[in-house]
Amino acid sequence: MDLLDYAFMQRALLAAVLVGITAPAVGIYLVQRRQALMGDGIGHVAMTGVGLGFLLSWSPIWMATAVSVLGAVLMELIRWYGRTRGDIALAMLFYGGMAGGVMFINLAPTGSNANLTSYLFGSLSTVSESDVSAICVLAAFVVLVTVGLRRQLFAVSQDEEFARVTGLPVRALNLLTAITAAVTVTVAMRVVGLLLVSALMVVPVAAAQQLSRSFAATFAIAVAIGVSVTIGGTVTSYYQDVPPGATIVLLTIGAFVLLTALATPVARRRARAAAAAQPAGDPAECAIPATRGSGG
């Protein structure tokens, strides 16, 4: 493949594989927690980090990581203590993050809207060696947390009260999930873009759930889908000169639609087979509430 002859494509493909692994690995916990849009909110906050990176002449990835982690912690604190005003506080946090990013990058001597666009929607040609190094380190952290603590994170994601009763540090694990999601956003922003990364966290998981309800199988299938679509979108972007982030997300949605179409008839046949195999009960024996008070 001629695209491997170019160093920037080698870096882009490596980053794409790491994004394909990490985004669904975190997304499965967010989906279980019904926080599917958390990645989108963190992406808005991370824009301020990107702008600060350009303004202070620091690495935009590391600065975005620091700011998005802080934003994720604030989101968890608002979720715990915000109550009725929590949604307003979150809205201010998200939109303030967007506004801060635009402001800082325009104040930076070397910043421009073109720089910001590459972080918002992804850009293959701008993935540098330092970016790849940062992405590798951050991706290793994400994999370590999501795989090494999978049992504890799954328990908390399913039922916080039960997890608390069993002695798990629920708040610490919730914070760790939020921080891991923030790190994943910064891992993915060079390939998918800050505004589209949430789709790569959620849609592969939703697609995998069409085939399996087991956590382990869903995790493995979601990661396989994530890696496939990120590589496919990166290669397509190179040959067709289309935006990588949009291409990857559209491929992900296409995978969801395809798997849903394939899984629906199978699920219906299984449901009919299960209903046919179950012996029919006697309606008279089931009508207990109607007869309890009629005895003399």
Side-chain angles (χ1 to χ4, degrees), residues 30-223:
L30 299 182
V31 170
Q32 293 292 330
R33 289 155 58 97
R34 292 177 175 83
Q35 293 180 326
L37 295 179
M38 185 177 185
D40 187 53
I42 294 173
H44 286 65
V45 176
M47 289 174 60
T48 292
V50 173
L52 276 174
F54 279 98
L55 181 63
L56 301 176
S57 299
W58 291 350
S59 168
I61 287 186
W62 289 113
M63 182 58 73
T65 301
V67 172
S68 59
V69 165
L70 177 61
V73 172
L74 288 175
M75 289 170 64
E76 276 300 301
L77 293 176
I78 290 170
R79 188 171 74 91
W80 295 343
Y81 304 114
R83 294 184 173 88
T84 56
R85 295 291 181 179
D87 56 339
I88 298 176
L90 287 174
M92 289 192 293
L93 181 65
F94 297 164
Y95 298 126
M98 291 182 65
V102 174
M103 179 64 69
F104 289 141
I105 204 165
N106 278 278
L107 292 175
T110 60
S112 67
N113 289 332
N115 296 127
L116 186 60
T117 299
S118 69
Y119 285 91
L120 291 177
F121 302 104
S123 175
L124 297 179
S125 60
T126 58
V127 180
S128 64
E129 291 184 6
S130 61
D131 290 338
V132 172
S133 299
I135 289 171
C136 288
V137 172
L138 295 172
F141 168 78
V142 172
V143 172
L144 183 65
V145 171
T146 56
V147 176
L149 296 176
R150 62 189 182 280
R151 297 182 185 276
Q152 294 89 336
L153 294 177
F154 177 75
V156 173
S157 299
Q158 285 292 101
D159 191 335
E160 287 191 6
E161 293 302 322
F162 176 78
R164 188 175 287 108
V165 169
T166 60
L168 289 176
V170 172
R171 287 198 169 180
L173 289 170
N174 281 335
L175 272 177
L176 184 60
T177 302
I179 291 170
T180 307
V183 171
T184 304
V185 168
T186 56
V187 168
M189 69 181 180
R190 300 301 280 138
V191 176
V192 185
L194 292 172
L195 296 184
L196 299 174
V197 62
S198 185
L200 197 57
M201 288 181 170
V202 173
V203 181
V205 177
Q209 287 177 337
Q210 305 305 309
L211 300 180
S212 173
R213 296 300 176 185
S214 161
F215 174 79
T218 301
F219 188 100
I221 295 170
V223 170

